[in-house]
Each structure stands twice: as C-alpha cells, then as structure tokens.
Coordinates of all heavy atoms in Angstrom, one line a residue:
A1 N -0.4 10.5 -13.8 CA -0.7 9.2 -13.5 C -1.2 9.1 -12.0 O -0.8 9.9 -11.2 CB 0.6 8.3 -13.6
S2 N -2.0 8.1 -11.8 CA -2.6 8.0 -10.5 C -1.5 7.4 -9.5 O -0.5 6.8 -9.9 CB -3.8 7.0 -10.5 OG -3.3 5.7 -10.7
A3 N -1.8 7.6 -8.2 CA -0.9 7.1 -7.2 C -0.8 5.6 -7.3 O 0.2 5.0 -7.1 CB -1.4 7.6 -5.8
R4 N -1.9 5.0 -7.6 CA -2.0 3.5 -7.7 C -1.0 3.0 -8.8 O -0.3 2.1 -8.6 CB -3.4 3.0 -7.9 CG -3.5 1.5 -8.0 CD -4.9 1.1 -8.3 NE -5.0 -0.3 -8.7 CZ -5.3 -1.3 -7.9 NH1 -5.7 -1.0 -6.6 NH2 -5.4 -2.5 -8.3
F5 N -1.1 3.7 -9.9 CA -0.3 3.3 -11.1 C 1.2 3.5 -10.7 O 2.0 2.7 -11.0 CB -0.6 4.2 -12.3 CG 0.3 3.9 -13.5 CD1 0.2 2.8 -14.3 CD2 1.4 4.8 -13.7 CE1 1.1 2.6 -15.3 CE2 2.2 4.6 -14.8 CZ 2.1 3.5 -15.6
R6 N 1.6 4.6 -10.1 CA 3.0 4.9 -9.7 C 3.4 3.8 -8.7 O 4.6 3.3 -8.9 CB 3.1 6.3 -9.1 CG 3.0 7.4 -10.0 CD 3.3 8.7 -9.4 NE 2.6 9.1 -8.2 CZ 1.4 9.8 -8.2 NH1 1.0 10.2 -9.4 NH2 0.8 10.0 -7.1
L7 N 2.6 3.4 -7.8 CA 3.0 2.4 -6.8 C 3.2 1.0 -7.5 O 4.2 0.3 -7.3 CB 2.0 2.3 -5.7 CG 2.2 1.2 -4.7 CD1 3.5 1.4 -4.0 CD2 1.1 1.1 -3.7
E8 N 2.3 0.7 -8.4 CA 2.4 -0.6 -9.2 C 3.6 -0.6 -10.0 O 4.3 -1.6 -10.1 CB 1.1 -0.8 -10.0 CG -0.1 -1.2 -9.2 CD -1.4 -1.3 -10.0 OE1 -1.3 -1.2 -11.2 OE2 -2.4 -1.5 -9.3
A9 N 3.9 0.5 -10.7 CA 5.1 0.6 -11.6 C 6.4 0.5 -10.7 O 7.3 -0.2 -11.1 CB 5.1 1.9 -12.3
S10 N 6.4 1.1 -9.6 CA 7.6 1.0 -8.7 C 7.7 -0.4 -8.2 O 8.9 -0.9 -8.2 CB 7.4 2.0 -7.5 OG 8.5 1.9 -6.6
L11 N 6.7 -1.1 -7.8 CA 6.8 -2.4 -7.3 C 7.2 -3.4 -8.4 O 8.0 -4.3 -8.2 CB 5.4 -2.9 -6.7 CG 5.0 -2.2 -5.4 CD1 3.6 -2.6 -5.0 CD2 6.0 -2.4 -4.3
Y12 N 6.7 -3.2 -9.6 CA 7.1 -4.0 -10.8 C 8.6 -3.8 -11.0 O 9.3 -4.8 -11.2 CB 6.3 -3.6 -12.0 CG 6.6 -4.4 -13.2 CD1 6.3 -5.8 -13.3 CD2 7.2 -3.8 -14.3 CE1 6.6 -6.5 -14.4 CE2 7.5 -4.6 -15.5 CZ 7.2 -5.9 -15.5 OH 7.5 -6.6 -16.6
G13 N 9.1 -2.6 -11.0 CA 10.5 -2.4 -11.2 C 11.3 -3.0 -10.1 O 12.4 -3.6 -10.4
E14 N 10.9 -3.0 -8.9 CA 11.6 -3.6 -7.8 C 11.7 -5.1 -8.0 O 12.7 -5.7 -7.8 CB 10.9 -3.2 -6.5 CG 11.6 -3.7 -5.3 CD 11.0 -3.3 -4.0 OE1 10.0 -2.6 -4.0 OE2 11.5 -3.7 -2.9
R15 N 10.6 -5.7 -8.4 CA 10.6 -7.2 -8.7 C 11.6 -7.5 -9.8 O 12.2 -8.6 -9.7 CB 9.2 -7.6 -9.0 CG 8.3 -7.8 -7.9 CD 7.0 -8.7 -8.2 NE 6.3 -8.1 -9.4 CZ 5.3 -7.3 -9.4 NH1 4.9 -6.9 -8.2 NH2 4.7 -6.9 -10.5
L16 N 11.7 -6.7 -10.7 CA 12.7 -6.9 -11.8 C 14.1 -6.6 -11.4 O 15.0 -6.9 -12.2 CB 12.3 -6.1 -13.1 CG 11.0 -6.5 -13.8 CD1 10.8 -5.5 -14.9 CD2 11.1 -7.9 -14.3
G17 N 14.3 -6.0 -10.3 CA 15.6 -5.6 -9.8 C 16.2 -4.4 -10.5 O 17.4 -4.2 -10.5
L18 N 15.2 -3.5 -11.0 CA 15.7 -2.3 -11.7 C 16.2 -1.3 -10.7 O 15.7 -1.2 -9.6 CB 14.5 -1.7 -12.5 CG 13.9 -2.6 -13.6 CD1 12.7 -1.8 -14.2 CD2 14.9 -3.0 -14.6
K19 N 17.2 -0.6 -11.1 CA 17.8 0.5 -10.3 C 17.6 1.8 -11.1 O 17.6 1.8 -12.3 CB 19.3 0.2 -10.0 CG 19.5 -1.1 -9.3 CD 19.0 -1.1 -7.9 CE 19.3 -2.4 -7.2 NZ 18.5 -2.7 -6.1
I20 N 17.6 2.9 -10.4 CA 17.5 4.2 -11.1 C 18.6 5.1 -10.6 O 19.2 4.9 -9.6 CB 16.1 4.8 -10.9 CG1 15.9 5.3 -9.4 CG2 14.9 4.0 -11.3 CD1 14.7 6.2 -9.3
S21 N 18.8 6.1 -11.4 CA 19.7 7.2 -11.1 C 19.0 8.5 -11.2 O 18.3 8.7 -12.2 CB 20.9 7.2 -12.0 OG 21.7 8.3 -11.8
I22 N 19.0 9.3 -10.2 CA 18.3 10.6 -10.2 C 19.3 11.6 -10.8 O 20.4 11.8 -10.4 CB 17.8 11.0 -8.8 CG1 16.8 10.0 -8.3 CG2 17.2 12.4 -8.9 CD1 16.3 10.2 -6.9
N23 N 18.8 12.3 -11.8 CA 19.6 13.2 -12.6 C 19.0 14.6 -12.6 O 17.8 14.8 -12.7 CB 19.6 12.6 -14.1 CG 20.4 13.4 -15.0 OD1 20.5 14.6 -15.0 ND2 21.1 12.7 -15.9
A24 N 19.8 15.6 -12.5 CA 19.3 17.0 -12.5 C 19.0 17.5 -13.9 O 18.4 18.5 -14.1 CB 20.4 17.9 -11.9
D25 N 19.5 16.8 -15.0 CA 19.4 17.2 -16.4 C 19.9 18.7 -16.5 O 19.3 19.5 -17.2 CB 17.9 17.1 -16.8 CG 17.8 17.3 -18.4 OD1 18.8 16.9 -19.1 OD2 16.8 17.8 -18.8
A26 N 21.0 18.9 -15.8 CA 21.6 20.3 -15.8 C 22.3 20.6 -17.0 O 23.0 19.8 -17.6 CB 22.5 20.4 -14.6
H27 N 22.1 21.8 -17.5 CA 22.8 22.3 -18.7 C 23.8 23.5 -18.2 O 24.4 24.1 -19.1 CB 21.8 22.8 -19.7 CG 21.0 21.7 -20.3 ND1 21.3 21.0 -21.4 CD2 19.8 21.2 -19.8 CE1 20.4 20.0 -21.6 NE2 19.5 20.2 -20.7
S28 N 23.8 23.7 -16.9 CA 24.8 24.7 -16.4 C 25.0 24.3 -14.9 O 24.2 23.5 -14.4 CB 24.3 26.1 -16.5 OG 23.2 26.3 -15.6
V29 N 26.1 24.8 -14.4 CA 26.5 24.4 -13.0 C 25.3 24.8 -12.0 O 25.0 24.0 -11.1 CB 27.8 25.1 -12.6 CG1 28.1 24.8 -11.1 CG2 28.9 24.5 -13.4
K30 N 24.7 26.0 -12.2 CA 23.7 26.4 -11.2 C 22.4 25.5 -11.3 O 21.7 25.5 -10.4 CB 23.4 27.9 -11.4 CG 22.6 28.3 -12.5 CD 22.3 29.8 -12.5 CE 21.3 30.1 -13.6 NZ 21.0 31.5 -13.5
E31 N 22.2 24.8 -12.4 CA 21.0 24.0 -12.5 C 21.2 22.6 -11.8 O 20.3 21.9 -11.7 CB 20.7 23.7 -14.0 CG 20.2 25.0 -14.7 CD 19.9 24.7 -16.1 OE1 20.5 23.8 -16.7 OE2 19.1 25.5 -16.7
I32 N 22.4 22.3 -11.3 CA 22.6 21.1 -10.6 C 21.7 21.0 -9.3 O 21.3 20.0 -8.9 CB 24.1 20.9 -10.2 CG1 24.9 20.6 -11.5 CG2 24.3 19.8 -9.2 CD1 26.4 20.6 -11.3
D33 N 21.4 22.2 -8.8 CA 20.4 22.2 -7.7 C 19.1 21.7 -8.0 O 18.2 21.4 -7.1 CB 20.3 23.7 -7.2 CG 21.6 24.2 -6.5 OD1 22.3 23.3 -6.0 OD2 21.7 25.4 -6.4
N34 N 18.8 21.5 -9.3 CA 17.4 21.0 -9.7 C 17.3 19.5 -9.4 O 16.2 19.0 -9.6 CB 17.2 21.2 -11.2 CG 17.0 22.7 -11.5 OD1 16.7 23.5 -10.7 ND2 17.2 23.0 -12.8
T35 N 18.3 18.9 -8.9 CA 18.2 17.5 -8.5 C 17.1 17.2 -7.5 O 16.5 16.1 -7.6 CB 19.6 17.0 -7.9 OG1 20.6 17.2 -8.9 CG2 19.5 15.5 -7.6
H36 N 16.8 18.2 -6.7 CA 15.7 18.0 -5.7 C 14.4 17.7 -6.3 O 13.5 17.0 -5.8 CB 15.6 19.1 -4.7 CG 15.0 20.4 -5.2 ND1 15.7 21.3 -6.0 CD2 13.8 20.9 -5.1 CE1 15.0 22.3 -6.3 NE2 13.8 22.1 -5.8
F37 N 14.2 18.2 -7.6 CA 12.9 17.9 -8.3 C 12.8 16.4 -8.6 O 11.8 15.8 -8.5 CB 12.8 18.7 -9.5 CG 12.5 20.2 -9.3 CD1 13.5 21.1 -9.7 CD2 11.4 20.6 -8.6 CE1 13.3 22.5 -9.5 CE2 11.2 22.0 -8.4 CZ 12.1 22.9 -8.8
G38 N 13.9 15.8 -9.0 CA 14.0 14.4 -9.3 C 13.8 13.6 -8.1 O 13.1 12.5 -8.1
I39 N 14.3 14.0 -7.0 CA 14.2 13.3 -5.7 C 12.7 13.4 -5.3 O 12.1 12.3 -4.8 CB 15.1 13.9 -4.6 CG1 16.5 13.7 -5.0 CG2 14.7 13.4 -3.2 CD1 17.5 14.4 -4.1
M40 N 12.1 14.5 -5.4 CA 10.6 14.6 -5.1 C 9.8 13.7 -5.9 O 8.9 13.0 -5.4 CB 10.2 16.1 -5.3 CG 10.7 17.0 -4.2 SD 10.2 18.8 -4.3 CE 9.2 18.9 -5.8
M41 N 10.1 13.6 -7.2 CA 9.3 12.7 -8.1 C 9.5 11.2 -7.7 O 8.6 10.4 -7.7 CB 9.6 13.0 -9.5 CG 9.2 14.3 -10.1 SD 7.4 14.5 -10.0 CE 7.2 15.5 -8.6
A42 N 10.7 10.9 -7.4 CA 11.0 9.5 -7.0 C 10.3 9.1 -5.7 O 9.7 8.1 -5.6 CB 12.5 9.3 -6.8
R43 N 10.3 10.1 -4.8 CA 9.6 9.8 -3.5 C 8.1 9.7 -3.8 O 7.4 8.8 -3.2 CB 9.8 10.9 -2.5 CG 11.2 10.9 -1.9 CD 11.4 12.0 -1.0 NE 12.7 11.9 -0.3 CZ 13.3 13.0 0.2 NH1 12.7 14.2 0.3 NH2 14.5 12.8 0.8
K44 N 7.6 10.5 -4.6 CA 6.1 10.5 -5.0 C 5.8 9.2 -5.6 O 4.7 8.6 -5.4 CB 5.8 11.7 -5.9 CG 4.3 11.8 -6.2 CD 4.1 13.1 -7.0 CE 2.6 13.3 -7.2 NZ 2.4 14.5 -8.0
G45 N 6.7 8.6 -6.4 CA 6.5 7.3 -7.0 C 6.7 6.1 -6.2 O 6.6 5.0 -6.6
G46 N 7.1 6.4 -4.9 CA 7.3 5.3 -4.0 C 8.7 4.6 -4.1 O 8.9 3.5 -3.6
V47 N 9.6 5.2 -4.8 CA 11.0 4.7 -5.0 C 11.7 4.7 -3.7 O 11.7 5.7 -3.0 CB 11.8 5.4 -6.1 CG1 13.2 4.9 -6.2 CG2 11.0 5.3 -7.4
Q48 N 12.3 3.6 -3.3 CA 13.1 3.5 -2.1 C 14.6 3.9 -2.3 O 15.1 3.7 -3.4 CB 13.0 2.1 -1.5 CG 11.6 1.7 -1.2 CD 11.0 2.5 -0.1 OE1 11.6 2.7 0.9 NE2 9.8 3.0 -0.4
S49 N 15.3 4.4 -1.4 CA 16.7 4.8 -1.5 C 17.5 3.6 -2.0 O 18.5 3.7 -2.7 CB 17.3 5.4 -0.3 OG 17.2 4.5 0.8
S50 N 17.1 2.4 -1.6 CA 17.9 1.2 -2.0 C 17.8 0.9 -3.5 O 18.6 0.1 -4.0 CB 17.4 -0.1 -1.2 OG 16.0 -0.3 -1.5
E51 N 16.9 1.5 -4.2 CA 16.7 1.4 -5.6 C 17.4 2.4 -6.4 O 17.4 2.4 -7.6 CB 15.2 1.4 -6.0 CG 14.4 0.4 -5.3 CD 12.9 0.6 -5.5 OE1 12.4 0.2 -6.6 OE2 12.3 1.3 -4.6
V52 N 18.0 3.4 -5.7 CA 18.7 4.6 -6.4 C 20.2 4.5 -6.2 O 20.7 4.6 -5.1 CB 18.1 5.9 -5.7 CG1 18.8 7.1 -6.4 CG2 16.6 6.0 -5.8
I53 N 20.9 4.3 -7.4 CA 22.3 4.1 -7.3 C 23.0 5.4 -6.8 O 24.1 5.3 -6.2 CB 22.9 3.6 -8.6 CG1 22.7 4.7 -9.7 CG2 22.3 2.3 -9.0 CD1 23.4 4.3 -11.0
N54 N 22.4 6.6 -6.9 CA 23.0 7.8 -6.3 C 23.1 7.7 -4.8 O 23.9 8.4 -4.2 CB 22.2 9.0 -6.6 CG 21.8 9.2 -8.0 OD1 21.2 8.4 -8.6 ND2 22.2 10.4 -8.5
C55 N 22.4 6.8 -4.2 CA 22.4 6.7 -2.7 C 23.4 5.7 -2.2 O 23.5 5.5 -1.0 CB 21.0 6.3 -2.2 SG 19.7 7.5 -2.5
Y56 N 24.0 5.0 -3.1 CA 25.0 3.9 -2.6 C 26.2 4.6 -2.1 O 26.7 5.6 -2.6 CB 25.4 3.1 -3.8 CG 24.4 2.1 -4.4 CD1 24.6 1.4 -5.5 CD2 23.1 2.0 -3.9 CE1 23.7 0.5 -6.0 CE2 22.1 1.2 -4.4 CZ 22.5 0.4 -5.5 OH 21.5 -0.5 -6.0
D57 N 26.8 3.9 -1.1 CA 28.1 4.4 -0.6 C 29.1 3.8 -1.7 O 28.8 3.1 -2.6 CB 28.5 3.9 0.8 CG 28.4 2.4 0.9 OD1 28.5 1.6 -0.1 OD2 28.3 1.9 2.1
L58 N 30.4 4.2 -1.6 CA 31.4 3.9 -2.6 C 31.6 2.4 -2.8 O 31.5 1.9 -3.9 CB 32.7 4.6 -2.3 CG 33.8 4.4 -3.4 CD1 33.3 4.8 -4.8 CD2 35.1 5.1 -3.0
P59 N 31.7 1.6 -1.7 CA 31.9 0.2 -1.9 C 30.6 -0.5 -2.6 O 30.8 -1.3 -3.5 CB 32.0 -0.4 -0.5 CG 32.6 0.7 0.3 CD 31.9 2.0 -0.3
A60 N 29.4 0.0 -2.2 CA 28.2 -0.6 -2.9 C 28.1 -0.2 -4.3 O 27.7 -1.0 -5.2 CB 27.0 -0.1 -2.1
F61 N 28.5 1.1 -4.6 CA 28.5 1.5 -6.0 C 29.5 0.8 -6.9 O 29.2 0.3 -8.0 CB 28.8 3.0 -6.1 CG 28.7 3.6 -7.5 CD1 27.5 3.7 -8.1 CD2 29.8 4.1 -8.1 CE1 27.4 4.2 -9.4 CE2 29.7 4.6 -9.4 CZ 28.5 4.7 -10.0
K62 N 30.7 0.5 -6.3 CA 31.7 -0.3 -7.1 C 31.2 -1.7 -7.3 O 31.3 -2.3 -8.4 CB 33.0 -0.3 -6.4 CG 33.8 1.0 -6.4 CD 35.1 0.9 -5.7 CE 35.9 2.1 -5.8 NZ 37.2 2.0 -5.1
K63 N 30.5 -2.3 -6.3 CA 30.0 -3.6 -6.5 C 28.9 -3.6 -7.5 O 28.8 -4.5 -8.4 CB 29.4 -4.1 -5.1 CG 28.8 -5.5 -5.2 CD 28.3 -5.9 -3.8 CE 27.7 -7.3 -3.8 NZ 27.1 -7.7 -2.5
F64 N 28.1 -2.6 -7.6 CA 27.0 -2.5 -8.6 C 27.7 -2.4 -10.0 O 27.2 -3.1 -10.9 CB 26.2 -1.2 -8.3 CG 25.2 -0.9 -9.4 CD1 24.0 -1.7 -9.6 CD2 25.5 0.1 -10.3 CE1 23.1 -1.4 -10.6 CE2 24.6 0.4 -11.4 CZ 23.4 -0.4 -11.5
L65 N 28.7 -1.6 -10.1 CA 29.3 -1.4 -11.4 C 30.0 -2.7 -11.9 O 30.1 -3.0 -13.1 CB 30.4 -0.3 -11.4 CG 29.8 1.1 -11.2 CD1 31.0 2.1 -11.2 CD2 28.9 1.5 -12.4
N66 N 30.5 -3.5 -11.0 CA 31.2 -4.7 -11.3 C 30.4 -6.0 -11.3 O 30.9 -7.1 -11.4 CB 32.4 -4.9 -10.4 CG 33.5 -3.8 -10.6 OD1 33.8 -3.5 -11.7 ND2 33.9 -3.2 -9.5
R67 N 29.1 -5.8 -11.1 CA 28.2 -7.0 -11.0 C 28.2 -7.8 -12.4 O 28.4 -7.3 -13.4 CB 26.8 -6.6 -10.7 CG 26.1 -5.9 -11.8 CD 24.8 -5.2 -11.4 NE 24.0 -4.7 -12.4 CZ 24.4 -3.6 -13.2 NH1 25.5 -3.0 -13.0 NH2 23.6 -3.2 -14.2
K68 N 28.0 -9.1 -12.2 CA 27.9 -10.0 -13.3 C 26.4 -10.4 -13.4 O 25.9 -11.1 -12.5 CB 28.8 -11.2 -13.2 CG 30.2 -10.8 -13.1 CD 30.8 -10.3 -14.4 CE 32.2 -10.0 -14.3 NZ 32.8 -9.1 -15.2
K69 N 25.7 -9.9 -14.3 CA 24.3 -10.2 -14.4 C 23.9 -10.8 -15.7 O 24.4 -10.3 -16.8 CB 23.5 -8.9 -14.2 CG 22.0 -9.1 -14.1 CD 21.3 -7.9 -13.5 CE 19.8 -8.2 -13.4 NZ 19.2 -7.8 -12.2
K70 N 23.1 -11.8 -15.7 CA 22.6 -12.4 -16.9 C 21.7 -11.4 -17.6 O 20.8 -10.9 -17.0 CB 21.8 -13.7 -16.6 CG 21.4 -14.5 -17.8 CD 20.7 -15.8 -17.4 CE 20.2 -16.5 -18.6 NZ 19.5 -17.7 -18.3
R71 N 22.0 -11.2 -18.9 CA 21.2 -10.3 -19.6 C 20.1 -11.0 -20.4 O 20.3 -12.2 -20.7 CB 22.1 -9.5 -20.6 CG 23.2 -8.8 -20.0 CD 22.8 -7.6 -19.1 NE 23.9 -7.0 -18.4 CZ 23.8 -6.1 -17.5 NH1 22.7 -5.7 -17.2 NH2 24.9 -5.6 -16.9
F72 N 19.1 -10.4 -20.7 CA 18.0 -11.0 -21.5 C 18.4 -11.4 -22.9 O 19.0 -10.8 -23.6 CB 16.7 -10.1 -21.6 CG 16.2 -9.8 -20.2 CD1 16.5 -8.6 -19.5 CD2 15.3 -10.7 -19.6 CE1 15.9 -8.3 -18.3 CE2 14.8 -10.4 -18.4 CZ 15.1 -9.3 -17.7

C-alpha cells in the first residue's frame, strides 16, 4: 500500500477512536522478540503511541478496559 493510503487509513481510524494492540504473534517464548516488526509497521503506517494500548501505563490501561462506550 502507498504511504498516502497508510496515512489516510491511520487518520480515519484515529477519527473513529480506534485503538490497536501490537502483537508478536509468537508461537514460542523466543518469538516474543518479533514484536519489533509490529512496532516498525505501526510507525510506518503513522500510528501514534496514544493509539496503541500496549503503550498505556497501568492506570490508563485500566481506564481503557473499564470504559463505557456506546456500541454501534
């Protein structure tokens, strides 16, 4: 995908209030180090740390889990 498409998709997700979680897709303990590939792709897509729930401190993460949000 083009850089323009990635930026537009990221901005659209931000407007919707979407959050992401970066996952290593690890099938063994040593594959947990693969998380950096997900981080690189998120950065390439223009994702900000404020959009990534892995970046939240504990109080912010608990607040996120306990949020009351109107569902579609």
Side-chain angles (χ1 to χ4, degrees):
S2 71
R4 180 183 168 102
F5 173 79
R6 288 190 303 268
L7 179 60
E8 288 175 5
S10 178
L11 293 173
Y12 181 68
E14 185 177 355
R15 279 195 307 268
L16 291 176
L18 300 179
K19 304 293 182 194
I20 68 166
S21 173
I22 298 176
N23 181 324
D25 192 30
H27 297 269
S28 70
V29 173
K30 73 179 191 176
E31 291 178 336
I32 291 174
D33 290 338
N34 291 340
T35 302
H36 74 279
F37 291 116
I39 294 168
M40 289 178 358
M41 292 298 101
R43 286 180 178 160
K44 188 174 181 180
V47 175
Q48 302 296 311
S49 61
S50 61
E51 301 170 86
V52 181
I53 62 174
N54 306 60
C55 295
Y56 291 178
D57 60 19
L58 185 56
F61 184 67
K62 286 181 177 181
K63 182 178 178 181
F64 172 77
L65 291 178
N66 293 315
R67 74 196 184 288
K68 302 291 183 198
K69 186 164 180 137
K70 184 178 178 182
R71 306 292 176 186
F72 296 99

